[in-house]
Amino acid sequence: MTTLAKVLIVDDEQDIIELVSLFIKVAGYSPEIRSAHSADSALAIFNQDGGFDLVISDIRMPGGHDGLWLIETLRKSSPDLKIISMSGHSDYSELDIKNRGANYFLKKPFNPNDLKNVIENILNQ
Amino acid sequence: MKIKLSVLLNLIAFILSFGGGFIFYRIELDTVQEKTDEYASLINHLVWSYNREAVSSFLQGALANREHLQIVIREPSGDVFAEIIQKNRKHAILPWWNSELTFKDDIEYKGEHLGSFELTIHDHERSAQFVCLIIFIFLHIGIQFIIMYLNSKKQNLELEKQIIQSEKMAAIGTMGAGIAHEINNPLTIVMGHAYLLQETVIKKYQNDPMLINMINKIISSVDRIKKIVEHMKDFSRNSSLDNRVLISVKQVIDDTLIFVMPILKKNQVELTVSVSEDLIKIYVNRIEIESVFQNLLVNASDAMIKKALPRKISITAKNIIEIDSVEITLSDNGEGIHQDNINKIFDPFFTTKDVGKGTGLGLAITKKIIEKHQGTIRVKSSPTEGTTFAITLPRGASE
């Protein structure tokens, strides 16, 4: 299993951020975890901090840019970065999200195993 | 309510111009429930306390008999309450009529000018329309008109129902997209923590059966909510015409069967597929059309579980040249859909499945998908012959 060193979780709901962090730990990984509540602050943290190998981001977030913009922007600057996008909204098609640069689209709600499988898959890609 | 009939008279003239013969009818309506002097409530009795279909078919029967027009209304005692006999007269005089009704001119007939006739009736809403109906019979206007009137009234009701239905659908669609997002976030949190709790109980609380049972109930209930929200999202999704391909119906059926066969086998359902060789191709979102077939097949299979063997499903597909479409039928030999339910099966949230087994959106989504592809879906069902869904999809032309 490839290791996971640093993960950025982006969601406007703190509870989701905490839950996803727990899922990552339960899946057997212990990366450094940073979080952001908006796409704009996520990009700022990503650029300032550096060293992320996985970004897990919500799509629809209030204020400023949305998750699709974040995915596109990150993909342009970091071709090797692993990106998982997650959403509970039906406006976005999986194809569109992947075209913008996400490695995987996770539909909310998901369980710990779903996330574990996705992480394993994209790390082995 | 006031009704102006001058407009209708043009229509009558039109019908008469087709040479509607001079026909006499005899109409006898027994047992008026209670005696009343007000014509409005009398007519209400006639029309609303009697089955409308019965009145309509009675009129048709009268047409066949071609007798003189005679209306006899009896009280329950058998006494005649009112009797009108008309023999080749140009206009009627109604004995129980009060001053609120005014004829303004003679009605002329056959070759003669239909005068500027105006009839004003003061009445409680609906009954006035039926008063007009009865008057037209008196006036020997011709049964064609009455039947036409009844039919068009029925069609209007159907149309109204359809409009309400499509408004309902649109509202659910809009709501669905919004609700899905709002529900899915908290649902993720509930579901996620339930799973984490489950792991904790397994590891730290020796898999305590009572705790595990409680957690499993949370997880299965959340799964149910998830399924409903999922269906609502499907229903509100507007992307069905993205990703369309030109494909043969046979291909779509074959792909569907890969997923459905195991279910049919499990339920001991025999499947026959008969597909014409020369099928025209359709231009569709194949995932959606597959989901339509899948939904109908699984529904049919579910509905037959309690039925004794043999359980049969047959699929046919053939070209319908007249409408340049392909028709796919899916039939089962189950117990059919109850007549009370047949008009509701495409309504959102209508289900006869046990609580938690169906969301009631499957067929509503199915209909929506087919209609988006400019197709049609019809259902025929009887207790002896089972249920058949017939779908048409137009010939596809790839852009």
Side-chain angles (χ1 to χ4, degrees):
Chain A
M1 186 167 64
T2 326
T3 53
L4 208 54
K6 197 169 178 182
V7 178
L8 176 61
I9 304 170
V10 192
D11 199 296
D12 55 315
E13 280 198 44
Q14 181 60 25
D15 280 344
I16 299 277
I17 290 175
E18 285 172 19
L19 187 73
V20 173
S21 312
L22 278 171
F23 280 6
I24 292 172
K25 281 180 193 147
V26 169
Y29 302 94
S30 41
E32 179 189 345
I33 293 179
R34 296 294 315 271
S35 65
H37 291 104
S38 72
D40 297 84
S41 64
L43 187 68
I45 293 170
F46 185 88
N47 289 333
Q48 262 169 27
D49 263 39
F52 289 99
D53 41 17
L54 173 65
V55 173
I56 303 176
S57 176
D58 191 17
I59 296 183
R60 183 170 285 201
M61 289 172 283
H65 292 101
D66 65 3
L68 293 177
W69 169 84
L70 181 66
I71 295 168
E72 266 178 337
T73 314
L74 291 176
R75 181 53 73 219
K76 272 181 206 155
S77 64
S78 321
D80 297 328
L81 176 71
K82 305 293 184 193
I83 304 175
I84 298 171
S85 85
M86 52 181 179
S87 179
H89 214 276
S90 55
D91 281 358
Y92 312 105
S93 81
E94 188 168 346
L95 196 73
D96 181 37
I97 290 161
K98 285 187 173 169
N99 282 342
R100 294 192 190 229
N103 300 81
Y104 204 89
F105 173 56
L106 206 48
K107 268 195 245 173
K108 284 178 182 174
F110 50 86
N111 65 41
N113 266 333
D114 296 332
L115 184 67
K116 187 182 175 189
N117 290 339
V118 170
I119 293 177
E120 274 172 18
N121 271 334
I122 62 170
L123 288 184
N124 292 327
Q125 261 171 23
Chain B
M1 186 177 120
K2 275 189 171 185
I3 296 183
K4 241 186 177 177
L5 289 176
S6 41
V7 178
L8 287 178
L9 282 172
N10 284 327
L11 185 62
I12 295 156
F14 174 72
I15 295 161
L16 291 178
S17 71
F18 279 94
F22 210 76
I23 305 162
F24 301 97
Y25 317 112
R26 183 175 150 272
I27 297 172
E28 184 158 343
L29 295 165
D30 280 315
T31 56
V32 171
Q33 308 277 316
E34 54 184 87
K35 183 169 178 171
T36 163
D37 288 326
E38 282 182 48
Y39 76 88
S41 57
L42 171 71
I43 299 300
N44 267 333
H45 271 300
L46 281 178
V47 177
W48 296 107
S49 64
Y50 289 83
N51 183 327
R52 263 198 289 176
E53 263 84 355
V55 172
S56 163
S57 67
F58 191 85
L59 293 178
Q60 292 187 45
L63 172 70
N65 289 335
R66 293 182 175 237
E67 292 171 41
H68 286 208
L69 173 67
Q70 178 181 13
I71 294 193
V72 182
I73 298 160
R74 291 181 199 277
E75 293 173 39
S77 64
D79 293 343
V80 173
F81 172 61
E83 182 169 13
I84 309 106
I85 301 168
Q86 297 294 321
K87 288 180 186 169
N88 195 8
R89 288 177 61 170
K90 284 182 183 169
H91 49 179
I93 298 148
L94 310 177
W96 68 86
W97 219 262
N98 64 29
S99 58
E100 284 171 295
L101 171 79
T102 42
F103 283 141
K104 270 197 174 169
D105 215 348
D106 274 354
I107 287 283
E108 294 163 351
Y109 182 65
K110 267 208 168 173
E112 295 169 63
H113 174 65
L114 281 163
S116 52
F117 171 75
E118 194 176 316
L119 171 65
T120 321
I121 300 164
H122 299 276
D123 189 19
H124 312 300
E125 297 197 43
R126 302 179 295 219
S127 53
Q129 296 165 358
F130 288 96
V131 171
C132 298
L133 264 182
I134 303 288
I135 289 162
F136 285 135
I137 301 170
F138 288 148
L139 294 173
H140 313 297
I141 295 296
I143 200 82
Q144 299 97 319
F145 175 71
I146 289 127
I147 290 165
M148 209 172 102
Y149 184 84
L150 286 172
N151 281 344
S152 75
K153 183 117 180 100
K154 208 170 156 191
Q155 275 165 9
N156 282 346
L157 285 173
E158 279 297 308
L159 192 69
E160 211 171 292
K161 225 177 100 188
Q162 275 173 22
I163 292 168
I164 292 170
Q165 183 62 18
S166 54
E167 280 169 356
K168 220 159 78 182
M169 301 284 233
I172 289 169
T174 325
M175 244 170 60
I179 286 178
H181 184 237
E182 290 312 312
I183 291 178
N184 275 336
N185 265 352
L187 208 56
T188 307
I189 294 162
V190 176
M191 187 175 175
H193 285 101
Y195 275 97
L196 293 175
L197 211 54
Q198 192 184 40
E199 288 221 10
T200 312
V201 171
I202 291 167
K203 282 183 188 151
K204 293 194 180 160
Y205 294 89
Q206 294 81 46
N207 214 347
D208 183 315
M210 197 175 80
L211 291 178
I212 286 290
N213 187 27
M214 289 175 175
I215 295 165
N216 283 345
K217 281 193 174 145
I218 299 176
I219 291 175
S220 65
S221 301
V222 170
D223 264 340
R224 253 171 75 184
I225 302 174
K226 182 181 162 183
K227 222 181 272 173
I228 294 169
V229 175
E230 195 80 3
H231 267 176
M232 283 181 68
K233 280 203 295 184
D234 286 346
F235 189 71
S236 61
R237 190 166 292 150
N238 235 347
S239 62
S240 80
L241 298 180
D242 297 348
N243 311 321
R244 284 207 279 181
V245 289
L246 196 63
I247 193 169
S248 88
V249 171
K250 186 172 186 316
Q251 183 68 49
V252 185
I253 293 172
D254 288 347
D255 290 349
T256 310
L257 290 178
I258 294 170
F259 293 102
V260 179
M261 271 323 279
I263 300 170
L264 299 185
K265 274 194 185 140
K266 199 182 104 201
N267 293 345
Q268 294 178 274
V269 176
E270 297 166 36
L271 177 76
T272 50
V273 181
S274 114
V275 176
S276 308
E277 289 297 317
D278 59 340
L279 281 184
I280 54 175
K281 289 193 170 180
I282 50 176
Y283 186 57
V284 295
N285 179 321
R286 61 187 291 179
I287 305 288
E288 291 202 336
I289 300 299
E290 268 177 38
S291 78
V292 164
F293 294 159
Q294 200 174 326
N295 184 31
L296 293 174
L297 290 169
V298 171
N299 268 355
S301 161
D302 281 354
M304 287 195 288
I305 283 182
K306 290 177 189 158
K307 180 189 175 296
L309 297 176
R311 300 169 190 153
K312 292 180 182 170
I313 292 181
S314 68
I315 304 174
T316 71
K318 61 173 192 288
N319 296 331
I320 306 283
I321 298 155
E322 295 78 29
I323 51 169
D324 205 20
S325 297
V326 55
E327 183 186 68
I328 307 103
T329 68
L330 299 104
S331 312
D332 65 43
N333 70 335
E335 284 159 10
I337 301 162
H338 197 277
Q339 284 308 310
D340 291 348
N341 295 337
I342 197 114
N343 290 328
K344 301 181 203 148
I345 57 165
F346 294 112
D347 288 3
F349 299 113
F350 177 78
T351 181
T352 58
K353 291 186 181 176
D354 293 341
V355 175
K357 289 274 157 52
T359 60
L361 283 172
L363 283 176
I365 295 170
T366 292
K367 186 164 191 266
K368 199 177 160 190
I369 293 173
I370 295 297
E371 286 176 353
K372 271 197 177 162
H373 285 85
Q374 276 89 46
T376 63
I377 178 164
R378 285 171 296 127
V379 60
K380 204 173 79 184
S381 187
S382 87
T384 47
E385 284 163 47
T387 302
T388 298
F389 283 90
I391 293 170
T392 63
L393 287 165
R395 175 196 291 274
S398 59
E399 273 101 346

